Amino acid sequence: MPDSPAIASSGAATAVETAHAAAHPDYLRHHFESVEQQADTTNFAMWLFLLTEVMFFGGLFMAYLIMRNWYYPAFVEASHHLSIFWGTTNTAVLITSSFTMAMGVWCAETRRKKGLLLSLILTFCLGLVFLCIKGIEWHAEWVQHHVPGLHYSVESFVNPASDPEIYAEYHDRALSPAMALRTEMYFFLYFAMTGMHALHMIVGISILGFMILRARAGSYTNGHVTFVENVGLYWHFVDIIWIFLFPLLYLVSRHG
Amino acid sequence: MTEAHEHQRHIVSPKVYLAVFLSLLCLTALTTAASFVELYVFNVVVALAIAVIKAALVVLFFMHVRYSNRLTKLTVASGIFMFCVLVGMTLTDYFTRAWGQW
Amino acid sequence: MSTSTIVRLPDQSTARIPRMNFLSRENGLLSWLLTSDHKRIAILYLISITFFFFVGGALAGLIRLELLTPQSDLMATDTYNKVFTMHGLIMIFFFLVPSVPATIGNFVLPMMVGAKDLALPKINLLSWYLYIVAGGLMLYTMAVGGVDTGWTFTTPLSTHYLNTHVISAGLAVFVAGFSSIFTGLNFIVTIHKMRCPGMTWFRLPLFVWAHYAASLLMVLGTPVLAITLVLVVLERTVHIGVFDPALGGDPLLFQHLFWFYSHPAVYIMILPGMGVISEVISTFSRKRVFGYTAVAFSSVAIAVFGFFVWAHHMFIMGISNYAALVFSLLTMLVAVPSAIKIFNWSFTLYKGSITFETPMLYAIGFLGLFTIGGMTGVFLGTAGTDIHLTETYFVVAHFHFVMVGGMLMAFLAGIHFWWPKITGRMYPEKISQLAAVVTFIGFNLTFFPQFILGMLGMPRRYASYPPEFQILNVFSTAGATVLGVGYLLPVLYLTWSLKYGKIAGNNPWQATGLEWQTQSPPLTENFTRIPIMDHEAYDYEWLENQQQKEVASA
Amino acid sequence: MSHISPVLWQYLVKWLTNFALFPPEASKIAPQMDALFFFMVLVSLVGLTIVVLLITAFSILYRKERHPVAEQIEGSTLLEATWTIIPLGLFLIMFVWGALIYFRVYTPPANAMNVYVVGKQWMWKVEHAGGQHEINALHIPAGRPIQLTLISQDVFHSFSIPAFRVKREAIPGRYTTVWFEATQPGTYHFFCTQYCGTEHSHMTGDVVVMTPDGYKKWLAESTSGMSLAQNGERLFASLSCTACHNDRADARGPSLVNVYGSRLPLPNGGTVVADDAFLREAILDPSQHLTQGFAPIMPTYQGQISEDGVISLVEFIKGLHSGYRLQQTLTTTTLLPESEGKAVPVRQAPPQSHLAKGWVKP
Ligand code: HEA
Ligand code: HEA
Ligand code: CUA
Ligand SMILES: [Cu+2]
């Protein structure tokens, strides 16, 4: 580009040519100097975004922490009504999806189109499986009248024997009526936290769906892996949230 | 750009991923099992410790932080730090509310 | 004063605005609405925040009119409550938080670091759209009847005892929060990754340092506000209970979460302004900022320590006395870096060669008013005196001194300072100097009496008050009128100057920042070639040599 | 600072007060707080003067006409250290001084006379131990430490008496306290300073500080016939508290004789002091406040007694020093009409599983 007269030739001494003789792939945005710079930048931006997510969930964890400390007995008894089987299974499902996602990134890095597609589809499906299991659990809570606000009964907490299954396993002692009311707080937080997590899953799954389409057209295996990597970071982050939600919500105290 | 290309992108091998994956599954089993054992206050300690280890594995390997530059590590660290500030400083209030009353 | 001016305008007979620039590049509404040019987005922001400033200002006018008399005669108490709530919400979230960063910062920060654009141009545009959506929601809230929680959304009042439009207002702030997060994120990434060759951290202008610190706060603090508002909305809609004492929750938890963001937010508001002041004072005294490193680090220190002091808003709210002790102590620590800055700026003048163009006048106003505002912040941070002063007009005066006397002055300083760069034309100097002086006088008349009112015990958020407070309130209202004139003037003459202002040339102030080394208004890609930074920030000798070289080669 | 020059101090304050620039100093803590306030004003003025002087002097000395060429100076570690350390030192002095005052205001002396204040949208209800009720007014004697025990029935309110320099938030669900000792008889404003909704600005009233004699007279004239404790006793009986808390050997609930101020063992091994807040919560949320050795059979009274009722109960329990009164109350229980006690009488309550049956949150 010729110097237009009005430009003080950027004063700052010598200059680097903007136009790169070197490789200038079409996915390089105009304001970056090089592919590495672009990759680094978007990667860092993704990390910063995850940082905001940490603080976002941080507020929820904070609320959970205080309430759990105050109403520990209620939290114990209420958590007994979650299904440890589904909880553990779901954790495994999510971890597996994280693994397949990581493999997807590897396939993209090593330009394996088939592998990438397979990994993405697996991740996508595992994500859906997770949501389905979550749905089963939520349904169970609905049936047990443990959906706060809408459909809530403290019956099984003031009178544990009314739920023979749980009672046989944990021999829960009856909560006093006042404390039993606080189980609703537990379930509120449970729904808020798992709901917020599920929302993040849905966003992730949608992006994965979009990526599967693109990957079929050969994107991401042409050396431009940043996008896959960043979605991977997001997916793993959502996994980490669950890694903390699981012990906090399901494993408050499982021994009888 | 100054910090841009410190080194080439490190490609983590599938073996590592597999190893991490398996340890994560084991830890999940372990934490579930541990919760059925009466450990008193240590139940929550164990559960959280395992969760932290699992999260660390995911962050370090799946998210490549182990192979990343200082800036990424710093970002992760500051996330953890700020979360601790939020929780820790709030707890200064909650834990001392009853002080001076006995 | 104009005799002493350092303005170097090009020869008026030959001067022209460069034909190719970011404004002339494309035309039509769509070219603006779909732009990813940081400079155009900055202008979009400038227009939108100015609009909201005047909405907020008109509401302030209503507040002051109501407070002219002790009775609540102009409007009913609940109308008054809605008015000050809207005033606070609009001024904070729709004016002051985005004021300097999203307009001036957006415009000049990429140029200062020698980049062609922000790192994530589309996110930048998204950020503006989020702002507009949020603003729309806020106006909708106002149109359908408003909200009267106070800008602090205090629970359980906001969740269980009001039937105004808390949800849409909360949502508006939620969305505006994400707009702010994305701006901050973009800045951090840009500062880390987009610096031109030779631009080391300690060659960055202090404006960039200040924005870096503010961006950290935006990225780390705002999400907590977001989740807090989500919880408030859930509390209102499905009675989740975490903030509701009747359901076993703790309303103080809300306050902790809210102030975890909102204290750092006050530094989000002031730090970018401090960046402007560094640039302006250095330029008009033709000297490197005294103790560059100290000023740079004090910005970061303010940002970091700013996270440790939030409970000073809750000293009498029922937090434990011991926690109050801790937070009071930390508040003292966070005040120190601000003091360092003030003195460093004052000493920048020492042995300088000072001129008093409008930006400089605003900057000097800032120094005085921010010192008063900041010191009264220390009164409030001192647990003992806070008991008496909190929730009175003393607090109102404190935060208007720092926000209006501090940040708004800095914003105006910045707008005047970079106006030639943004538009390629000068603003009229004489009348703008007059506006600066009018603002200063009007400001003091408005808000100084409020310190005394506060000491006398007049509570804030009162639609009516005992008659003995009237005299001081009359002063305050009178001042607000003067202040309003002071703010209307710039709008008029700046608009005028778009067409009739003198051509500014590349570097009318003889400033050293990279943004001044390119044409005004700049090209879409900012520089014809990526610059290489080979000197320190604020190196006026380098600038001089550069110009001599240019003259020689011409 | 009154010890430096009382005359000058009083003169200054009076002058400022007369010009309505300063609130009267009508409590013991007021001059102490004002001393710190004026200290801070002084520091700020000095600081501001320094800054303004520097700017003015440099602006004159180094304006372009006089000083056309700037001399570049990097900075000065010594100077910068000075203006770091001196403000820091001053701020720390303020912190320590302020902390002392803060603790003084919020630590009532043992001999303080207690007055209960209940905030609700949008009025203040004041309850004196003798059973005198006031709305938006507070009568107190001068020269005696007064402790306010505050609570709110709905949202946050804040009880502020500028002339006394004290203020305390009234919080829903929790007692807070503040104390003062008025020095000057007179009438002073009090305000609700925490924004609490529509009529926030009308939640104001007057503190009437009286001479001790005047106060006695006022007490006698405005008595409602029943002291708080007596009212509490009535409630205690009508809510069937005596069914369990009857001080008998086979009582199902712990004895409440002399319980106030004592240290109670908790089931988890710790102890807790039974203060006003503890008593209140033990009534409203008993499951959380169990004494060791007793089963969690007490029903919650949450939502069944007003805050005023709780205050009366607390006041009654505070004054319980012998079991005799309880026994007496017990015998009167049968005389009371059943309808007065709204709560389920525990005595007739079936075993807890029954009690729980059909317990669905409304
Ligand atoms: C831009 C916004 C901004 C800024 C920068 C500040 C800065 C500070 N603020 Fe302010 N504050 C607000 C905006 C701001 N504040 C708002 C909006 C509220 C009200 C919220 C609401 O309730 O609605 C508030 C309320 C508020 C409170 C709560 C009051 C209450 O409700 O009870 C407190 C208490 O500690 C406080 C303290 C401080 C302190 C210590 C600083 C410090 O950072 C100030 C540091 C600066 C200096 C100290 C000046 C420079 C010093 C010198 C030049 C040295 C002088 C010389 C010598 C000492 C020799 N602020
Ligand atoms: C950026 C922040 C900002 C800014 C710029 C301002 C600007 C002003 N503010 Fe505001 N203010 C707040 C933030 C801000 N405020 C906040 C956060 C609160 C707390 C809210 C709460 O309690 O929840 C508050 C509360 C507040 C109160 C206390 C209300 C109460 O507690 O009862 C008052 C009272 O005087 C006031 C006055 C003013 C005035 C006179 C201006 C002036 O500077 C405005 C001057 C501008 C104009 C006047 C507009 C330009 C002129 C015109 C549009 C022409 C028409 C003008 C007239 C008819 C006069 N503000
Ligand atoms: Cu009650 Cu304000
Ligand atoms: Cu603050």
Side-chain angles (χ1 to χ4, degrees), chain C residues 435-470:
Chain C
V437 174
V438 169
T439 326
F440 185 81
I441 296 169
F443 176 84
N444 280 299
L445 194 56
T446 313
F447 293 109
F448 203 85
Q450 296 186 355
F451 281 125
I452 303 169
L453 278 174
M455 185 60 202
L456 283 168
M458 174 167 165
R460 62 189 285 206
R461 298 167 168 179
Y462 260 33
S464 59
Y465 53 85
E468 68 259 31
F469 297 143
Q470 189 175 8

Side-chain angles (χ1 to χ4, degrees), chain C residues 114-178:
Chain C
K116 288 193 223 160
D117 203 331
L118 280 177
L120 311 162
K122 293 212 175 116
I123 299 283
N124 197 16
L125 184 64
L126 172 67
S127 162
W128 180 73
Y129 274 108
L130 287 176
Y131 175 89
I132 291 301
V133 169
L137 267 170
M138 203 37 116
L139 293 178
Y140 161 81
T141 308
M142 203 151 70
V144 295
V147 56
D148 58 349
T149 56
W151 81 277
T152 46
F153 287 106
T154 319
T155 54
L157 180 68
S158 65
T159 51
H160 290 87
Y161 292 90
L162 294 176
N163 45 19
T164 47
H165 300 84
V166 182
I167 294 182
S168 63
L171 230 55
V173 173
F174 179 89
V175 178
F178 276 93

Side-chain angles (χ1 to χ4, degrees), chain D residues 122 124 156-158 192-196 200 203:
Chain D
W122 289 275
W124 292 104
F156 280 82
H157 302 274
S158 183
C192 171
T193 47
Q194 175 63 267
Y195 177 62
C196 54
H200 162 60
M203 217 171 136

